[in-house]
Amino acid sequence: MPSLNAALVRGAVTSPFKRAGRPGAALPADRAVLPAAPIAAGPLAAYRRICGFTEPDALPLTYPHVLGFPLAMRLMTARRFPLPVVGLVHTWIEITRHRTPHPTDRPELTVYAEGLAPHRRGTEVTMVTEARLAGELVWASRSGYLSRHATRPGPGPADTSPGPAPTRTAAPPELPALAQWRLPGDLGRRYGAASGDRNPIHLYPLTARLFGFPRAIAHGMWTVARCLAETPDPHEVHGVRADFRAPVLLPGTVTYAADATGFQLRSTGRLHLTGRILHAPGPAAARDGRS
């Protein structure tokens, strides 16, 4: 597995030499591939504990993204990648599970950049991660990462939120509140130890302030995984779309809300995360080709 720490260091070195929003910028066609290999039991067990997953025979829906993230970072910190990785904001993720991977599987992982798109706050890149077993695609994700910069005809209204934040659209209706979670100040360090993602914005107040945050913030992928772990029938979930709307400061208290179709994570006066769950089709729908 490529070193995520090495990629973070390389990103810090290469980012000052890149200019987001450069006209004619193009993505390299490179693909990063991790050959089929067993899934390490120790890190997976630690990931289950920190996220709350309890199903022992199925790989958590979000875990292949964790396995593939070092590959994504290797691509995004390469010299030819047009966006500086420092300051990139994870804005959304879509995951599709074509069939349930198991902890004993040996997946082959492929990661590549799918496209650049203009965004009202800058430029967004879509990164794709795919997991295959014996050549069969069993899992895939698409993630949006925003590089914020001035856009034409000019910058939008000033954003007074603490630190970088993704685009805010009209808030959806509130879902029923089901639980309140008290998040400790060391959550970012604990999740970083389990996932390998030790981005400084998640670790300590001092390192987070260097990037514009008043305190450390929770990993966005932890918030998605923690919400999915609460799904009553996780084996029935074959996909999810999650949008990151505002950072979760640590320590803090958040409200988990959900219904049969999706979930939210919110705090007083702020919506942090929205998610839409895609359920596996029933037998009749599957026979008819419906989803």
Side-chain angles (χ1 to χ4, degrees):
M1 177 66 70
S3 169
L4 187 52
N5 290 337
L8 289 172
V9 172
R10 186 168 59 250
V13 171
T14 59
S15 289
F17 300 97
K18 299 181 180 183
R19 183 167 62 88
R22 178 170 51 85
L27 288 169
D30 301 343
R31 291 185 173 224
V33 177
L34 185 68
I39 297 169
L44 175 57
Y47 181 84
R48 289 184 190 280
R49 285 193 298 271
I50 193 66
C51 297
F53 289 106
T54 57
E55 280 194 314
D57 298 328
L59 206 63
L61 181 66
T62 48
Y63 199 62
H65 177 86
V66 172
L67 295 176
F69 189 60
L71 299 176
M73 283 295 294
R74 188 169 75 184
L75 292 179
M76 291 192 289
T77 57
R79 183 174 300 177
R80 293 192 298 157
F81 192 80
L83 303 179
V85 72
V86 173
L88 276 185
V89 180
H90 196 180
T91 49
W92 57 270
I93 186 169
E94 294 176 348
I95 298 175
T96 302
R97 180 166 59 188
H98 300 285
R99 70 178 177 87
T100 302
H102 298 281
T104 54
D105 287 336
R106 300 168 61 95
E108 177 189 86
L109 299 175
T110 303
V111 179
Y112 57 93
E114 186 178 66
L116 289 172
H119 186 283
R120 72 181 184 88
R121 290 187 178 176
T123 300
E124 189 173 72
V125 62
T126 299
M127 301 296 295
V128 178
T129 303
E130 298 173 341
R132 288 178 169 79
L133 294 174
E136 177 192 356
L137 182 66
V138 298
W139 182 100
S141 75
R142 299 172 69 250
S143 286
Y145 295 92
L146 173 64
S147 180
R148 301 209 301 184
H149 58 81
T151 57
R152 295 179 181 179
D159 181 9
T160 58
S161 62
T167 302
R168 287 171 176 75
T169 55
E174 287 193 355
L175 299 179
L178 300 182
Q180 207 171 57
W181 298 336
R182 295 178 182 270
L183 309 183
D186 67 348
L187 176 62
R189 298 193 293 277
R190 291 166 54 203
Y191 180 83
S195 67
D197 184 356
R198 293 182 174 87
N199 188 320
I201 63 175
H202 304 301
L203 302 182
Y204 299 97
L206 177 60
T207 56
R209 282 196 290 269
L210 295 175
F211 296 90
F213 296 96
R215 303 197 301 274
I217 65 171
H219 292 72
M221 286 305 299
W222 178 86
T223 65
V224 175
R226 184 67 187 87
C227 290
L228 287 174
E230 293 294 312
T231 305
D233 297 305
H235 59 281
E236 295 291 335
V237 176
H238 95 214
V240 66
R241 161 76 190 219
D243 291 273
F244 305 105
R245 290 173 169 262
V248 176
L249 298 176
L250 300 173
T253 300
V254 293
T255 297
Y256 165 69
D259 62 13
T261 63
F263 54 83
Q264 295 173 349
L265 206 61
R266 57 182 188 251
S267 58
T268 304
R270 199 157 208 199
L271 181 62
H272 300 283
L273 173 73
T274 60
R276 181 169 59 90
I277 291 175
L278 306 176
H279 291 280
R287 285 195 299 269
D288 294 341
R290 301 192 305 268
S291 58

